[in-house]
Coordinates of all heavy atoms in Angstrom, one line a residue:
L4 N 160.2 58.8 81.5 CA 161.2 59.0 82.6 C 162.3 58.0 82.5 O 162.0 56.8 82.3 CB 160.4 59.0 83.9 CG 159.3 60.0 84.1 CD1 158.6 59.7 85.4 CD2 159.9 61.4 84.2
Q5 N 163.5 58.4 82.8 CA 164.6 57.5 82.8 C 165.3 57.3 84.2 O 165.7 56.2 84.6 CB 165.7 57.9 81.8 CG 165.3 57.8 80.4 CD 166.4 58.2 79.4 OE1 167.3 58.9 79.8 NE2 166.2 57.8 78.1
S6 N 165.3 58.4 85.0 CA 165.9 58.4 86.3 C 165.3 59.5 87.1 O 164.8 60.5 86.6 CB 167.4 58.4 86.3 OG 167.8 59.7 85.9
L7 N 165.4 59.3 88.5 CA 164.9 60.4 89.4 C 165.9 60.5 90.5 O 166.3 59.5 91.1 CB 163.5 60.0 89.9 CG 163.0 60.9 91.0 CD1 162.7 62.3 90.4 CD2 161.7 60.3 91.6
E8 N 166.3 61.7 90.8 CA 167.2 62.0 91.9 C 166.5 62.9 92.9 O 165.9 63.9 92.5 CB 168.5 62.6 91.4 CG 169.5 62.8 92.6 CD 170.8 63.4 92.0 OE1 170.9 63.7 90.8 OE2 171.8 63.6 92.9
L22 N 164.5 54.7 86.4 CA 163.1 54.6 86.0 C 163.1 54.2 84.5 O 162.1 54.5 83.8 CB 162.4 55.9 86.2 CG 162.4 56.5 87.6 CD1 161.7 57.9 87.6 CD2 161.6 55.6 88.5
L47 N 157.9 67.7 90.4 CA 158.9 68.0 89.4 C 158.2 68.3 88.1 O 158.7 69.2 87.3 CB 159.8 66.8 89.2 CG 160.9 66.8 88.1 CD1 161.9 67.9 88.4 CD2 161.6 65.5 88.0
L72 N 164.9 68.2 93.2 CA 164.3 67.1 92.4 C 164.8 67.2 91.0 O 164.7 68.2 90.3 CB 162.7 67.2 92.4 CG 162.0 67.3 93.8 CD1 160.6 67.6 93.6 CD2 162.3 66.0 94.6
R73 N 165.5 66.0 90.6 CA 166.1 66.0 89.3 C 165.7 64.7 88.6 O 165.7 63.6 89.2 CB 167.6 66.1 89.4 CG 168.3 66.3 88.0 CD 169.8 66.3 88.2 NE 170.3 65.0 88.5 CZ 170.7 64.1 87.6 NH1 170.7 64.4 86.3 NH2 171.2 62.9 87.9
A74 N 165.3 64.8 87.3 CA 165.0 63.6 86.5 C 165.6 63.8 85.1 O 165.7 64.9 84.6 CB 163.5 63.5 86.5
T75 N 166.0 62.6 84.6 CA 166.4 62.6 83.2 C 165.2 61.9 82.4 O 164.6 61.0 82.9 CB 167.7 61.8 83.0 OG1 167.5 60.5 83.5 CG2 168.8 62.5 83.7
V76 N 164.9 62.5 81.3 CA 163.8 62.0 80.5 C 164.3 61.8 79.0 O 165.3 62.3 78.6 CB 162.6 63.0 80.5 CG1 162.1 63.2 81.9 CG2 163.1 64.4 79.9
V100 N 167.2 64.8 78.3 CA 166.9 66.1 78.8 C 166.8 66.0 80.3 O 166.2 65.0 80.8 CB 165.7 66.7 78.2 CG1 165.3 68.1 78.9 CG2 165.9 67.0 76.7
T101 N 167.4 66.9 81.0 CA 167.4 66.9 82.5 C 166.3 67.9 82.9 O 166.4 69.1 82.5 CB 168.7 67.3 83.1 OG1 169.7 66.3 82.7 CG2 168.6 67.3 84.6
L102 N 165.4 67.5 83.8 CA 164.3 68.3 84.4 C 164.7 68.5 85.9 O 164.9 67.5 86.6 CB 162.9 67.8 84.2 CG 162.5 67.4 82.8 CD1 161.1 66.8 82.8 CD2 162.6 68.6 81.9
V103 N 164.7 69.8 86.3 CA 165.1 70.0 87.7 C 164.1 71.0 88.4 O 163.6 71.9 87.7 CB 166.5 70.6 87.8 CG1 166.9 70.9 89.2 CG2 167.5 69.7 87.1
C104 N 163.8 70.7 89.6 CA 163.0 71.6 90.5 C 163.8 71.9 91.7 O 164.3 71.0 92.4 CB 161.7 70.9 90.9 SG 160.7 71.9 92.1

Side-chain angles (χ1 to χ4, degrees):
L4 300 173
Q5 291 184 340
S6 67
L7 175 66
E8 183 178 3
L22 301 178
L47 181 62
L72 303 175
R73 188 183 73 91
T75 57
V76 297
V100 172
T101 300
L102 307 179
V103 178
C104 174

